[in-house]
Amino acid sequence: MSDFRLKVFYTVAQRLSFTKAAQELYLSQPAVTKHIRELEQQYQATLIDRSGSRVSLTPAGRSLLVYATRIIELYSEAAIEVSALQHQTSGTLTIGASTTFAQYILPQMLARFHSRYPDVKVNVYAENTERIEQALQDRKIGIGIIEGKTKNKALRYTPLIRDEIVLVAATRNKQARKGSLRLTELPAVPLVLREPGSGSLEVIAHALRKAGLRLSQLQAPVRMNSSEAIKSYLLQSDAMAFLSIHTVLRELERDELSVVDVKGLSIERQFHLIHPHGEPERLAGTFQQFALSYNHML
Amino acid sequence: MSDFRLKVFYTVAQRLSFTKAAQELYLSQPAVTKHIRELEQQYQATLIDRSGSRVSLTPAGRSLLVYATRIIELYSEAAIEVSALQHQTSGTLTIGASTTFAQYILPQMLARFHSRYPDVKVNVYAENTERIEQALQDRKIGIGIIEGKTKNKALRYTPLIRDEIVLVAATRNKQARKGSLRLTELPAVPLVLREPGSGSLEVIAHALRKAGLRLSQLQAPVRMNSSEAIKSYLLQSDAMAFLSIHTVLRELERDELSVVDVKGLSIERQFHLIHPHGEPERLAGTFQQFALSYNHML
DNA sequence: TTGCGGGATAATAATATATCATGTCCGACT
DNA sequence: AGTCGGACATGATATATTATTATCCCGCAA
């Protein structure tokens, strides 16, 4: 038997990449390699073929994946079931969330949450990180979800999901057609950036600095303070923008916007659940359990 | 998630005893306590009520048990399925087994094995430990199952199942009716023992010695070299005998024989799978996988 | 009230699992 | 072909988890 190992295997099987799986699981790549190797030893079978440049499942791997999937589902169901027995399942919960999360991810999450706990009323309080932390300490909200991670000692941070910030452009943009861009070409591109002081902008600046570029070297003719506004602008121009992948999922699907890969640049951050130390409020605990197992539901 | 922990929980739930579960899992009792405590922490729920002198499942525990059972089944099925893909599933396997095992446990095991691998023919070679080890080294047999554990360095020993040797008597025996016996009363009881030199007798002698009794202090008017013979004798007399619990399961069910508990005396040994070092023969590997997961099937 | 079976607790030892730094291999691109 | 970059493997080492041993404590039965 082996539980976390199965989850690792499952993730690798989904992403067909050891490195991607490692990121998703907040692990190093060698750790993933090791888990897979030990699973293979346990089952005396090669589960994943990594002889070529792409990894793929062997027959034994495909067979195990069926079981792994079901087992992981059951773990998740068990957690919800037991939690439902324990926690209060009616009342009102106020969730504080950062704008991006509140607009693009939380809605679907709440839809599922509601079907599971129909008697819980939820208020959403969309604000910036600082205000959410304050509200949490004042007990104005039961739980918070923020981008990045500050180190407020009165609060506990639990990684929830990974957010990736990508460079996007209107699909008809010729450079977008190419699909990728060198880092050195970036200063030539007109960009729409968020307003100074925004958390997103800081993450972007930090990642650029690590790659050897200053924000001041970039062309930023326009600054806007809302993702929706930026997207509209892009559709009307040849500019590009750095946006959370979650904010552009719909436009990517409709093929209105496209992701432009920048070689050597990767901008990531995580959404964290935050809650005060000690026992969580009951409804907050229920929601936390739910949110953490939400990943498993895909 | 948590895999081994679920197995621990499952075992405790079955036996309704931390200590018994620990023995079955080859763990110490504190380890079991710890696992349960951490599961409870994880699910934020009390799973097992151990306030009184008996332990029992809480509602949350009962709910989790349903999932745990299914998950454990799936692990077991996955192992068999993957193993079936890998290993050869036709041919002939010769299994060497000690008499008790070959007579009382192996048959049901082989029945299941056959339904899973219909194309494998199995020969059973019932002998004593020494001969089985020799045959294994000579490659006359593919895998062996013995009582106890010698320290032959050319072979690897894997614990398979626990065997308990209990004192039994005919149910109509008045002392059997009482259900238990003090250690000091034992010398007054007429016993039927196995012949000198038998492995079972040595285990019994060793356990008695640890409890402060010599074999020579006991009344052993009759010695016999077969469990079946001893059982027949018991039914005709007031004598008692030390026999493996596995050899008397049927008689206990029919209420012909009864177990007499001897306070302060517990005689245990384990059946071990033995195989040569290095890669096992393919069919031997298949059988080994199967045998080890056989426990989980109950 | 005393002893005993059985679970809890604490200190410590053994194992398992992580990371970091680095190596190797495959395929893409000049 | 030669070189580069992306991606998995490997080995040394640090950390975390899980085990054991020894001991305590509690409820129950004699």
Side-chain angles (χ1 to χ4, degrees):
Chain A
M1 292 209 289
S2 132
D3 66 326
F4 183 58
R5 236 160 238 172
L6 269 197
K7 182 74 205 275
V8 171
F9 168 70
Y10 173 83
T11 309
V12 172
Q14 292 303 310
R15 312 296 230 85
L16 289 178
S17 154
F18 283 48
T19 304
K20 294 273 176 54
Q23 291 174 351
E24 188 165 326
L25 295 162
Y26 310 115
L27 275 182
S28 65
Q29 169 264 312
V32 172
T33 295
K34 202 140 179 283
H35 279 297
I36 299 298
R37 179 150 31 97
E38 307 216 326
L39 260 189
E40 297 188 322
Q41 209 153 315
Q42 178 183 342
Y43 286 107
Q44 292 285 313
T46 304
L47 301 171
I48 295 176
D49 176 6
R50 50 264 209 211
S51 60
S53 77
R54 314 216 130 273
V55 306
S56 61
L57 290 181
T58 63
R62 278 190 290 276
S63 165
L64 181 60
L65 181 59
V66 176
Y67 287 95
T69 306
R70 183 73 187 119
I71 287 172
I72 289 168
E73 276 173 19
L74 282 173
Y75 271 112
S76 171
E77 282 176 35
I80 288 172
E81 170 104 5
V82 173
S83 147
L85 273 178
Q86 285 306 108
H87 298 297
Q88 180 180 328
T89 56
S90 71
T92 302
L93 171 68
T94 302
I95 301 173
S98 72
T99 317
T100 302
F101 198 91
Q103 278 192 294
Y104 300 100
I105 305 175
L106 194 54
Q108 314 150 47
M109 215 161 133
L110 284 183
R112 292 234 200 178
F113 182 74
H114 254 114
S115 71
R116 180 81 61 176
Y117 303 101
D119 297 331
V120 178
K121 297 202 192 318
V122 176
N123 297 327
V124 176
Y125 171 74
E127 261 300 349
N128 66 34
T129 298
E130 197 186 344
R131 295 211 180 174
I132 288 173
E133 294 194 340
Q134 191 54 55
L136 200 59
Q137 287 183 277
D138 298 345
R139 296 288 194 277
K140 298 239 174 74
I141 60 179
I143 196 165
I145 299 163
I146 60 167
E147 301 164 359
K149 175 180 186 175
T150 59
K151 50 260 165 186
N152 187 324
K153 294 218 172 135
L155 303 173
R156 291 209 307 147
Y157 297 78
T158 311
L160 184 58
I161 65 173
R162 178 179 297 268
D163 184 24
E164 195 181 349
I165 294 181
V166 294
L167 186 64
V168 293
T171 301
R172 46 154 192 68
N173 182 318
K174 20 183 179 138
Q175 278 192 295
R177 289 259 172 71
K178 254 188 68 186
S180 75
L181 210 63
R182 283 160 194 283
L183 205 50
T184 52
E185 298 178 87
L186 205 52
V189 176
L191 290 175
V192 187
L193 294 180
R194 289 283 297 267
E195 78 285 3
S198 110
S200 302
L201 190 63
E202 280 190 33
V203 176
I204 293 165
H206 181 254
L208 287 173
R209 219 173 299 126
K210 260 185 62 180
L213 266 182
R214 297 249 198 97
L215 212 51
S216 57
Q217 295 177 270
L218 303 182
Q219 298 202 24
V222 186
R223 302 260 183 169
M224 294 182 151
N225 68 356
S226 121
S227 299
E228 289 300 320
I230 293 177
K231 287 191 290 184
S232 304
Y233 186 92
L234 292 185
L235 292 173
Q236 314 292 334
S237 76
D238 277 342
M240 298 188 183
F242 286 106
L243 290 172
S244 160
I245 183 83
H246 290 107
T247 65
V248 294
L249 283 179
R250 187 165 308 154
E251 288 78 9
L252 292 178
E253 235 170 58
R254 291 202 207 119
D255 207 32
E256 296 171 355
L257 295 177
S258 298
V259 171
V260 181
D261 187 34
V262 183
K263 298 280 184 196
L265 181 69
S266 119
I267 312 179
E268 295 190 344
R269 63 178 172 185
Q270 276 167 40
F271 290 108
H272 289 258
L273 276 176
I274 59 176
H275 43 97
H277 282 287
E279 280 299 292
E281 233 184 78
R282 293 212 291 180
L283 278 176
T286 304
F287 182 79
Q288 177 169 354
Q289 281 265 10
F290 175 86
L292 291 175
S293 64
Y294 184 74
N295 290 319
H296 304 163
M297 306 182 201
L298 194 94
Chain B
M1 289 206 293
S2 131
D3 64 325
F4 183 57
R5 236 160 238 174
L6 271 198
K7 182 71 207 269
V8 172
F9 169 70
Y10 173 83
T11 309
V12 172
Q14 292 304 311
R15 311 298 229 82
L16 290 177
S17 154
F18 283 49
T19 304
K20 294 273 176 54
Q23 292 175 349
E24 187 165 328
L25 295 162
Y26 308 116
L27 276 181
S28 64
Q29 168 263 314
V32 172
T33 295
K34 203 138 179 283
H35 278 298
I36 299 297
R37 177 149 31 94
E38 307 216 325
L39 261 189
E40 296 188 323
Q41 211 153 313
Q42 177 184 343
Y43 286 107
Q44 293 285 314
T46 304
L47 300 172
I48 294 176
D49 175 7
R50 50 264 207 210
S51 60
S53 77
R54 316 214 129 273
V55 307
S56 62
L57 290 181
T58 64
R62 277 190 290 276
S63 165
L64 180 61
L65 182 59
V66 175
Y67 288 95
T69 305
R70 182 75 186 118
I71 287 172
I72 290 167
E73 274 173 20
L74 281 173
Y75 271 113
S76 170
E77 281 175 35
I80 288 171
E81 171 106 4
V82 172
S83 146
L85 274 178
Q86 285 306 108
H87 298 297
Q88 181 180 325
T89 55
S90 69
T92 300
L93 171 66
T94 302
I95 301 172
S98 71
T99 316
T100 301
F101 197 91
Q103 278 192 294
Y104 298 100
I105 305 175
L106 195 53
Q108 316 151 47
M109 213 160 137
L110 284 182
R112 293 234 199 178
F113 183 73
H114 252 115
S115 70
R116 183 79 62 174
Y117 303 102
D119 298 331
V120 179
K121 295 199 194 320
V122 176
N123 297 327
V124 175
Y125 171 75
E127 262 298 350
N128 67 34
T129 298
E130 195 185 346
R131 294 209 180 177
I132 288 172
E133 295 196 339
Q134 191 54 53
L136 200 60
Q137 288 184 277
D138 298 346
R139 295 289 196 274
K140 298 238 175 77
I141 61 179
I143 196 164
I145 298 162
I146 60 167
E147 301 162 358
K149 177 180 187 176
T150 58
K151 49 257 165 188
N152 187 326
K153 293 217 171 132
L155 303 172
R156 290 211 303 149
Y157 296 77
T158 310
L160 184 57
I161 63 173
R162 178 180 297 269
D163 185 24
E164 195 182 347
I165 294 181
V166 294
L167 185 64
V168 293
T171 300
R172 47 152 193 69
N173 183 319
K174 19 182 180 144
Q175 277 191 294
R177 290 259 173 71
K178 253 188 69 186
S180 75
L181 210 63
R182 283 162 193 281
L183 204 50
T184 51
E185 299 178 83
L186 205 52
V189 176
L191 292 173
V192 187
L193 295 179
R194 291 283 298 267
E195 78 285 5
S198 110
S200 303
L201 189 63
E202 280 189 33
V203 176
I204 294 165
H206 181 254
L208 286 173
R209 219 172 298 126
K210 260 183 62 179
L213 267 183
R214 297 248 197 98
L215 211 51
S216 56
Q217 296 178 268
L218 302 183
Q219 298 202 25
V222 186
R223 303 261 182 168
M224 294 182 155
N225 67 356
S226 124
S227 298
E228 290 300 321
I230 292 177
K231 288 192 289 185
S232 304
Y233 185 92
L234 292 185
L235 292 174
Q236 314 293 332
S237 75
D238 276 343
M240 299 189 183
F242 286 106
L243 290 172
S244 159
I245 185 83
H246 292 105
T247 64
V248 294
L249 283 179
R250 186 164 310 153
E251 288 78 9
L252 291 178
E253 234 169 59
R254 290 202 209 121
D255 206 32
E256 296 171 356
L257 295 178
S258 301
V259 172
V260 181
D261 187 33
V262 183
K263 299 282 183 194
L265 180 69
S266 117
I267 313 179
E268 296 190 344
R269 61 180 172 184
Q270 276 168 39
F271 290 107
H272 289 258
L273 276 176
I274 60 177
H275 44 97
H277 283 288
E279 281 299 292
E281 231 183 83
R282 293 212 291 180
L283 277 177
T286 304
F287 182 79
Q288 178 170 353
Q289 281 264 11
F290 174 86
L292 291 175
S293 62
Y294 183 75
N295 290 319
H296 305 163
M297 304 181 204
L298 194 94

